[in-house]
Amino acid sequence: MAATYDIFIFDCDGVLWHGKDKITGSFEAVKYLLDSGKKVYLLTNASFRPRTSILDKFEGLSGIKIPIETIYSSAYLTCEYLKATAAELGEDNPLW
């Protein structure tokens, strides 16, 4: 599969880790993909954690450094959507 695709998206909790525990082989797979020049993105619906917290947990469990721009949470994406929508509506037309 790695030879076929250039971009991989991983859910965090339940795929890379479960609570405080690594899921066997998950970080080795991510490292292999990154070392192969693939783009890896992390996705989570854990809306209560900021992206910095997700980054810290990923790097702490894996020892792999990744840019924060590769991490997307449901809260972050909702905020980005609302900012874009509010900008489209203009100041005279509030979002809510």
Side-chain angles (χ1 to χ4, degrees):
M1 186 183 301
T4 305
Y5 300 102
D6 294 324
I7 299 171
F8 292 82
I9 301 170
F10 290 91
D11 184 31
C12 295
D13 195 30
V15 175
L16 299 175
W17 60 72
H18 183 70
K20 295 179 182 179
D21 300 321
K22 300 177 191 182
I23 293 184
T24 304
S26 63
F27 294 114
E28 292 83 358
V30 170
K31 183 170 181 356
Y32 171 79
L33 292 170
L34 291 169
D35 289 347
S36 299
K38 306 298 181 174
K39 293 182 181 178
V40 173
Y41 294 90
L42 306 183
L43 189 65
T44 182
N45 62 356
S47 60
F48 54 89
R49 283 193 207 125
R51 292 192 310 161
T52 53
S53 174
I54 298 162
L55 177 65
D56 290 344
K57 184 168 186 174
F58 176 85
E59 290 181 349
L61 287 172
S62 70
I64 301 168
K65 298 289 184 190
I66 59 169
I68 197 162
E69 295 82 14
T70 61
I71 298 174
Y72 294 92
S73 69
S74 55
Y76 175 77
L77 291 172
T78 299
C79 288
E80 290 299 305
Y81 173 77
L82 292 174
K83 283 194 309 191
T85 302
E88 288 176 16
L89 292 174
E91 290 182 24
D92 296 332
N93 202 355
L95 189 57
W96 41 73

